[in-house]
Amino acid sequence: MKQNHNQRQSNQSAEFGNTIKDTESLQKSLSKIELLLLDVDGVLTDGKINYTDSGEEIKSFCSKDGFGLRLLMDSGIKVGIITGRAANGALNARCKNLGIDLIFDKIKDKKVALKKIFDDHSFINKRINYSNVAFAGDDLADIPVMRVCGFSFAVANASPEVIKIADYTTKNRGGDGAVREICEMILKAKGLWEAILHNWH
């Protein structure tokens, strides 16, 4: 079993974060990422599910997360969604707005969706493999796919079991900047962040 970055930090104060060695290992792993897969409830949202009087489900998304995903995709990194629940109008609208077309919903075993992505090369470049995939999750159903991806993120408010097996736990909570944090980490590891900042100066 691979030792994750959270485990390597277990004896360190959170204030000081990674050691230099761990930082180098983290950057090396993230620099390989070509596909970021995300759970929805609890990762792209805060996990709360609201209903109108008519029974319509409402989801809230973080604008900073969305901008981070756009920066990531504009830099050539593919983004996809794997969720156990049915994609509703809010999720479909959000994905359409962001340009995310890789969406798998009503998935009980998320590893099945990952395998389908690699079986159907129209989704991704044939040259990438599992080591080039990162997954961000928050609950027990995410653990199996997190174990087989090249890199796994847990959001700050993920269940303890998910945090335990994740390679990295974000400082921000799901639906409140965690995905933006992930996007920036990947872009910085790939050496793309400075060029992005330059475009906004």
Side-chain angles (χ1 to χ4, degrees):
M1 182 184 297
K2 63 181 180 181
Q3 184 184 37
N4 62 41
H5 293 275
N6 286 331
Q7 291 171 328
R8 288 196 289 270
Q9 295 178 60
S10 61
N11 295 324
Q12 302 174 44
S13 165
E15 179 181 356
F16 296 102
N18 295 323
T19 63
I20 293 176
K21 181 178 180 180
D22 285 339
T23 298
E24 290 175 352
S25 175
L26 178 69
Q27 297 298 309
K28 183 177 180 180
S29 296
L30 291 176
S31 69
K32 299 177 182 178
I33 300 304
E34 299 294 337
L35 171 64
L36 173 63
L37 297 173
L38 304 164
D39 178 39
V40 177
D41 296 311
V43 176
L44 277 173
T45 76
D46 62 7
K48 295 177 182 178
I49 301 173
N50 300 310
Y51 292 93
T52 65
D53 290 340
S54 62
E56 181 183 2
E57 184 179 313
I58 300 173
K59 294 183 186 293
S60 295
F61 300 96
C62 175
S63 60
K64 289 185 177 179
D65 287 349
F67 188 58
L69 290 170
R70 280 283 3 145
L71 293 175
L72 200 68
M73 291 185 288
D74 288 346
S75 299
I77 293 94
K78 186 80 173 176
V79 173
I81 301 294
I82 304 179
T83 177
R85 303 182 73 239
N88 66 355
L91 177 59
N92 288 328
R94 184 60 168 158
C95 288
K96 182 178 180 181
N97 177 260
L98 293 174
I100 298 173
D101 55 10
L102 189 59
I103 305 170
F104 293 88
D105 67 338
K106 296 183 285 187
I107 303 295
K108 291 184 179 180
D109 184 350
K110 297 183 180 183
K111 287 191 301 182
V112 173
L114 181 62
K115 184 177 185 301
K116 185 174 181 180
I117 290 172
F118 280 91
D119 287 344
D120 186 345
H121 295 308
S122 66
F123 288 132
I124 55 172
N125 191 306
K126 293 181 180 180
R127 292 175 295 179
I128 79 169
N129 56 46
Y130 281 24
S131 69
N132 305 118
V133 180
F135 187 92
D138 74 307
D139 215 337
L140 302 182
D142 300 316
I143 290 176
V145 71
M146 290 173 69
R147 287 190 182 278
V148 298
C149 285
F151 199 91
S152 58
F153 290 97
V155 296
N157 53 327
S159 69
E161 293 81 4
V162 173
I163 290 174
K164 183 177 180 180
I165 65 98
D167 291 309
Y168 189 89
T169 301
T170 63
K171 297 178 178 65
N172 293 297
R173 296 169 64 88
D176 192 23
V179 171
R180 174 63 173 269
E181 181 182 340
I182 290 168
C183 292
E184 288 192 15
M185 287 179 67
I186 294 172
L187 290 167
K188 289 174 182 177
K190 286 179 164 293
L192 302 172
W193 186 244
E194 289 302 318
I196 289 172
L197 291 182
H198 181 74
N199 291 334
W200 295 93
H201 286 172

